[in-house]
């Protein structure tokens, strides 16, 4: 089966077949390539839901053999400290993932606090337009579908710019296209936005 090439913008690249790199996460990507320079060989990566933390971590682990701890802010001190010592003993890099900055973690162990404080802290930035376009394209290419530039430009002017919204809209447009047996077009995009805005209003009430 032939693969569908993503019509990616010039400043967008695909890495490890798992995540996209734009200005929003380029510094994180660069640092993942230079893990030998991390303080304590540890990085704390902060990013919102659906921002690609898990995909970046999977690619990093596959390439380096490093250890990964997802949702680190909710972990017990002992679990995190044990993993830290294991990474140290095995001479492997450690990547801690969280949606919350370290200042909001409930850490009690003084030794763990000091190590976290002295580690490299990086945050995935809000999605730029290249990232938003690329994520939509990647989602539909994986399903053998395409999304037109007209639809992308329509959404660009109207959608909330967040990773979670890209995911929500992509899934809703996909479901509507299947339901109506139509391609991803402006009508589908308008309907999807309408459904999501209605749902958001119900939540706010």
């Amino acid at each position: 089966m032939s693969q569908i090439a993503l019509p990616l913008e010039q400043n967008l690249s695909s890495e490890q077949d798992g995540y996209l790199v734009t200005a929003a996460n380029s510094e994180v990507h660069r640092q993942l390539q230079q893990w030998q320079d991390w303080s304590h060989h540890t990085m704390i990566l902060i990013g919102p839901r659906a921002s690609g933390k898990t995909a970046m971590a999977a690619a990093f682990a596959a390439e380096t053999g490093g250890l990964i701890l997802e949702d680190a802010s909710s972990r017990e001190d002992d679990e995190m400290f044990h993993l830290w010592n294991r990474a140290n003993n095995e001479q492997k890099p450690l990547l801690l993932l969280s949606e919350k900055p370290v200042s909001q973690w409930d850490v009690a162990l003084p030794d763990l606090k000091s190590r976290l404080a002295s580690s490299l802290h990086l945050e995935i930035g809000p999605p730029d337009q290249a990232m938003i376009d690329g994520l939509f394209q990647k989602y539909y290419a994986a399903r053998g579908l395409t999304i037109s530039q007209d639809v992308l430009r329509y959404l660009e002017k109207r959608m909330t710019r967040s990773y979670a919204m890209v995911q929500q809209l992509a899934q809703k447009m996909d479901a509507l296209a299947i339901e109506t047996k139509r391609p991803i077009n402006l009508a589908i995009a308008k309907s999807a936005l309408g459904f999501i805005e209605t749902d958001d209003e119900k939540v706010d009430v």
Side-chain angles (χ1 to χ4, degrees):
M1 181 179 295
S2 62
Q3 294 184 339
I4 296 176
L6 298 183
L8 303 179
E9 298 189 18
Q10 190 171 13
N11 61 338
L12 181 69
S13 62
S14 178
E15 295 295 335
Q16 304 293 337
D17 295 325
Y19 65 92
L20 302 172
V21 180
T22 73
N25 63 357
S26 59
E27 178 59 17
V28 174
H29 174 69
R30 187 181 72 81
Q31 288 290 348
L32 288 172
Q33 313 305 305
Q34 301 176 358
W35 62 268
Q36 296 91 341
D37 298 332
W38 299 352
S39 177
H40 302 297
H41 284 179
T42 301
M43 179 201 284
I44 299 168
L45 179 56
I46 309 299
R49 179 173 65 86
S51 61
K53 297 188 303 297
T54 298
M56 296 182 95
F60 177 75
E63 184 175 336
T64 67
L67 304 180
I68 309 297
L69 185 63
E70 296 203 48
D71 197 17
S73 62
S74 67
R75 305 288 183 155
E76 296 291 335
D77 287 8
D78 288 344
E79 179 185 4
M80 204 179 315
F81 202 69
H82 173 75
L83 190 62
W84 194 304
N85 287 332
R86 178 187 161 193
N88 215 14
N89 292 335
E90 296 179 7
Q91 294 294 296
K92 292 180 177 179
L94 175 61
L95 186 57
L96 305 177
L97 310 179
S98 176
E99 293 184 19
K100 299 178 182 178
V102 176
S103 60
Q104 296 178 20
W105 297 11
D106 186 19
V107 178
L109 285 175
D111 283 351
L112 183 57
K113 274 186 176 180
S114 65
R115 294 184 188 189
L116 291 174
S118 61
S119 297
L120 175 63
H121 295 223
L122 283 181
E123 184 170 358
I124 297 173
D128 53 18
Q129 195 55 49
M131 177 64 78
I132 290 173
D133 289 356
L135 288 174
F136 276 125
Q137 292 163 354
K138 189 169 185 287
Y139 179 91
Y140 290 114
R143 288 154 179 76
L145 303 172
T146 59
I147 181 169
S148 71
Q149 288 296 317
D150 286 346
V151 173
L152 290 173
R153 297 292 76 82
Y154 175 84
L155 294 174
E156 173 186 345
K157 296 175 182 177
R158 295 164 177 83
M159 64 180 283
T160 301
R161 298 172 70 89
S162 73
Y163 295 99
M165 180 57 72
V166 172
Q167 185 182 66
Q168 192 176 359
L169 268 173
Q171 292 173 347
K172 189 62 181 178
M173 289 191 293
D174 196 9
L176 287 172
I178 292 171
E179 186 179 310
T180 60
K181 296 182 173 60
R182 296 160 69 186
I184 306 295
N185 55 25
L186 282 174
I188 292 290
K190 290 175 183 177
S191 295
L193 269 176
F195 276 114
I196 289 171
E197 288 170 356
T198 300
D199 288 344
D200 287 344
E201 288 173 3
K202 289 178 181 177
V203 171
D204 291 339
V205 171

